[in-house]
């Protein structure tokens, strides 16, 4: 059986996939098992934009804020036109999603 942290993270990824598909009207791919920098890739073909998304579930807000700050200060790739790098953090037990976009 999968561990609880993995299950929480996977559930958050699926919730964000649903958000990007239904609310943002984007095509979304989940990079399950890749263990790379991105959990989701969302494509906006109408505007020729790509969203690279990292999803994290944290135990507390201070940890989440630290992750977001570190991501903002040092994203995985240098900024590129038409490509948005995003980190989204959910605090366990909350429905709020905190995010930064580079």
């Amino acid at each position: 059986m999968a561990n609880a942290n993995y299950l929480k993270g996977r559930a958050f990824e699926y919730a964000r996939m649903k958000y990007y598909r239904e609310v943002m009207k984007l095509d979304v791919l989940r990079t399950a098992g890749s263990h790379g920098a991105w959990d989701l890739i969302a494509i906006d073909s109408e505007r020729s934009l790509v969203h690279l998304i990292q999803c994290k579930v944290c135990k507390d807000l201070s940890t989440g804020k630290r992750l977001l700050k570190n991501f903002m200060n040092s994203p995985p790739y240098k900024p590129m036109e038409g490509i948005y790098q995003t980190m989204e953090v959910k605090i366990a037990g909350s429905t709020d999603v905190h995010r930064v976009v580079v």
Side-chain angles (χ1 to χ4, degrees):
M1 179 167 206
N3 81 33
N5 290 333
Y6 169 80
L7 295 174
K8 288 177 189 175
R10 184 181 69 180
F12 182 48
E13 290 171 10
Y14 278 111
R16 298 315 291 164
M17 282 179 65
K18 183 176 179 179
Y19 168 81
Y20 282 101
R21 283 186 179 144
E22 295 180 4
V23 176
M24 302 297 292
K25 306 298 185 201
L26 303 177
D27 293 320
V28 185
L29 304 167
R30 181 172 173 258
T31 62
S34 68
H35 303 289
W38 311 110
D39 297 312
L40 304 174
I41 300 170
I43 299 169
D44 182 341
S45 58
E46 288 184 20
R47 292 184 267 186
S48 299
L49 300 174
V50 175
H51 302 265
L52 304 173
I53 305 156
Q54 177 65 245
C55 301
K56 295 286 185 190
V57 177
C58 299
K59 292 181 181 180
D60 56 65
L61 185 57
S62 63
T63 301
K65 285 183 177 182
R66 180 181 46 80
L67 288 172
L68 292 169
K69 182 180 177 182
N70 290 344
F71 181 88
M72 188 172 52
N73 291 334
S74 184
Y77 301 127
K78 67 178 183 169
M80 295 177 264
E81 187 175 336
I83 299 177
Y84 293 98
Q85 299 176 71
T86 303
M87 176 176 272
E88 298 191 340
V89 173
K90 178 183 178 295
I91 308 307
S94 171
T95 59
D96 295 338
V97 175
H98 305 270
R99 70 179 359 208
V100 294
V101 179
V102 180

